[in-house]
Amino acid sequence: MEMKRYPNDRCCERLHVDLCVDERTPRHGILELLKKLRPEWKPEDIQIKAFTEGITNQLMGCYVGSLMQDPVLLVRVYGQMTELFMDRDKEMEMFRVLHKHGCGPELYCSFTNGICYEFVKGVVLDDTLLRQPSVYRLIATEMGKIHSIKSGETGNSSPVLWSRLSQFLNLVQSSDYPEQQKSSVHVEAPSLKLIIKEMEELKTHLTHINSPVVLCHNDLLTKNVIYNQEEGAVKFIDYEYADFNYQAYDIGNHFNEFAGINNVDSSLYPSCELQIDWLTAYLESFKWFNGVDSTVTKEEVQELYVQVCKFSLVAHIFWCLWALLQAKHSTIDFDFQRYAMARFNYYFEKKQEFFGMKLP
């Protein structure tokens, strides 16, 4: 095993360990990593806890002593074939930028098929916390802070949405679609022809909406928000999709996630009242971190509300295509094809409500 330091044109020097961790029996590889990163830890004392919330990668916490009281190092082993649609250099760049601004954990190193990084103290958000005003306002404020980070630190600031959608579509088209994959019951796969039609219609419609391009998380589901009640703060984790994108997309994507993952329930989409309160807190934060008067008008909130409703639609198409790709390649025990169909149905339910909205 060899440790290297790689210079990167887009970010600072980063540490890389030339080692592959077996996703089926990871302990041996993790212990080899920890010899380099935590040489003071005795192998026989090291505890490894698997976190099961993720449906893309495997995540494990490593510690000596107590998980809640002692330092914890996280090891993420990338999901099978995710390199087809993930820019891992971009992900590590996002780690650097967000950590620099106090918005994310420190990245310790990369290895052949994963990364090691700092554990963020707190609890993973659940559906109850997600709807508590004191918590969702923290989320809105944190997103406003991240959205205010300037493009000069990250190079290209073009919105990633349409190029990434095209990439996913091309990968799905070249992966023996529509073969049935890992579905617990027979679930009809969404029609690619219909997906393409809806994508084209949405692109034509959304191109005329003037949503600012900002640094976005792009995957803010509940399990990617850590809440620290003692500090009264939240932090966002997992930056695989983080990049510059439309402001309204990032918010709309988060609102979509109120419906859940295992059993998508569109009736759980946040109420208009919750959204207005959330968006008000967001705009106050976004303005403050951009150094302007943080007073927010009803007209500004209403305009953003309509933009968010409209951009939330394209997020369903994105995750539908993502799930179809995962159904083909992932080894994680999750019914991706069922999820793809659930998101496609969710899209059509909301399209009736949101597509015809008029901007104020």
Side-chain angles (χ1 to χ4, degrees), residues 224-278:
N224 282 343
V225 182
I226 305 296
Y227 173 52
N228 188 318
Q229 186 174 12
E230 289 182 6
E231 297 180 5
V234 297
K235 286 288 180 286
F236 303 162
I237 59 172
D238 290 357
Y239 314 125
E240 291 180 302
Y241 301 94
D243 207 335
F244 279 84
N245 213 346
Y246 299 102
Q247 175 192 59
Y249 175 89
D250 208 19
I251 301 171
N253 181 70
H254 175 61
F255 287 170
N256 286 342
E257 296 296 345
F258 278 56
I261 293 177
N262 291 321
N263 292 291
V264 177
D265 182 354
S266 61
S267 71
L268 297 177
Y269 191 86
S271 67
C272 178
E273 292 75 19
L274 189 155
Q275 291 179 69
I276 294 300
D277 192 32
W278 197 106

Side-chain angles (χ1 to χ4, degrees), residues 164-216:
R164 199 171 275 174
L165 272 170
S166 295
Q167 178 195 17
F168 278 26
L169 178 62
N170 290 336
L171 287 168
V172 171
Q173 289 175 316
S174 63
S175 62
D176 300 329
Y177 186 89
E179 179 184 341
Q180 302 296 312
Q181 299 289 333
K182 302 188 182 83
S183 188
S184 56
V185 295
H186 177 72
V187 177
E188 182 183 354
S191 159
L192 268 187
K193 185 177 180 180
L194 186 54
I195 290 174
I196 294 168
K197 174 182 176 294
E198 295 300 322
M199 277 178 58
E200 291 173 348
E201 185 179 12
L202 283 169
K203 186 172 184 179
T204 300
H205 185 69
L206 296 175
T207 300
H208 299 293
I209 296 175
N210 188 28
S211 180
V213 176
V214 296
L215 182 60
C216 294

Side-chain angles (χ1 to χ4, degrees), residues 136-137 139-145 147-148 211-212 214 247-248 251 255 275-308:
Y136 71 62
R137 288 173 191 147
I139 297 170
T141 299
E142 184 71 4
M143 187 179 284
K145 180 180 180 181
H147 283 186
S148 70
S211 180
V214 296
Q247 175 192 59
I251 301 171
F255 287 170
Q275 291 179 69
I276 294 300
D277 192 32
W278 197 106
L279 294 171
T280 302
Y282 166 83
L283 284 170
E284 289 172 348
S285 170
F286 185 64
K287 286 186 165 190
W288 191 88
F289 282 108
N290 276 289
V292 300
D293 182 4
S294 60
T295 303
V296 175
T297 67
K298 289 183 179 179
E299 291 74 21
E300 288 173 319
V301 174
Q302 183 61 26
E303 180 180 18
L304 182 56
Y305 169 74
V306 175
Q307 291 179 345
V308 166

Side-chain angles (χ1 to χ4, degrees), residues 69-84:
Q69 296 180 357
D70 293 291
V72 178
L73 181 149
L74 292 177
V75 176
R76 188 205 298 162
V77 180
Y78 297 145
Q80 185 171 304
M81 303 297 285
T82 54
E83 69 276 6
L84 285 174

Side-chain angles (χ1 to χ4, degrees), residues 4-8 11-16 89 92 110:
K4 302 174 184 176
R5 293 190 179 274
Y6 286 119
N8 190 306
C11 62
C12 58
E13 192 177 69
R14 64 177 171 85
L15 185 66
H16 181 79
D89 285 336
M92 285 180 271
S110 60

